[in-house]
Amino acid sequence: MPKPYVKFDIPKELSGRILQAVETARNTGKLRRGVNETTKAIEKGISQLVVIAGDVEPEEIVMHLPALCEEKKVLYVYVPSKLELGRASGIDVGSSAIAIVDAGEGKNLIKDISSSLEQLKKAG
């Protein structure tokens, strides 16, 4: 059953590209890991993409992020697993949320994700 904070489903292929963008940003750009750092990055207006894990317990931890992203007009997406998100960001534990602050060499990948997301939202 999908969590209440997950506003739309992400296809597996797109989820892989999102994790690839996180890895690219980790290697050539800048990331903010964790819900608090992600929230600060959104509020400061420095995040290019916010990635939220779809298996967060309790869900109240990340429930505010989609609304905050929409208010600040920040692109946000979901991935299925905290562990996958944490590993893509370069840590060995799960991460509930990550903000890509500087995409580095992943700028085109983020543009691609953004256009795929627009198509998903129109279809859904």
Side-chain angles (χ1 to χ4, degrees), residues 30-89:
K30 271 182 133 176
L31 291 177
R32 299 269 195 240
R33 293 178 190 91
V35 176
N36 288 343
E37 289 297 315
T38 299
T39 302
K40 288 183 218 171
I42 297 166
E43 287 174 342
K44 289 178 183 174
I46 59 174
S47 54
Q48 296 176 358
L49 176 67
V50 171
V51 185
I52 306 166
D55 62 349
V56 178
E57 287 287 333
E59 53 215 29
E60 287 80 11
I61 295 171
V62 294
M63 268 183 137
H64 68 286
L65 290 175
L68 185 61
C69 286
E70 287 171 5
E71 178 187 320
K72 299 286 186 177
K73 297 188 179 14
V74 174
L75 183 65
Y76 67 97
V77 292
Y78 303 98
V79 292
S81 159
K82 289 190 303 190
L83 196 55
E84 285 178 0
L85 185 55
R87 286 194 178 134
S89 75

Side-chain angles (χ1 to χ4, degrees), residues 22-33:
V22 171
E23 284 180 36
T24 305
R26 175 192 79 200
N27 294 329
T28 62
K30 271 182 133 176
L31 291 177
R32 299 269 195 240
R33 293 178 190 91

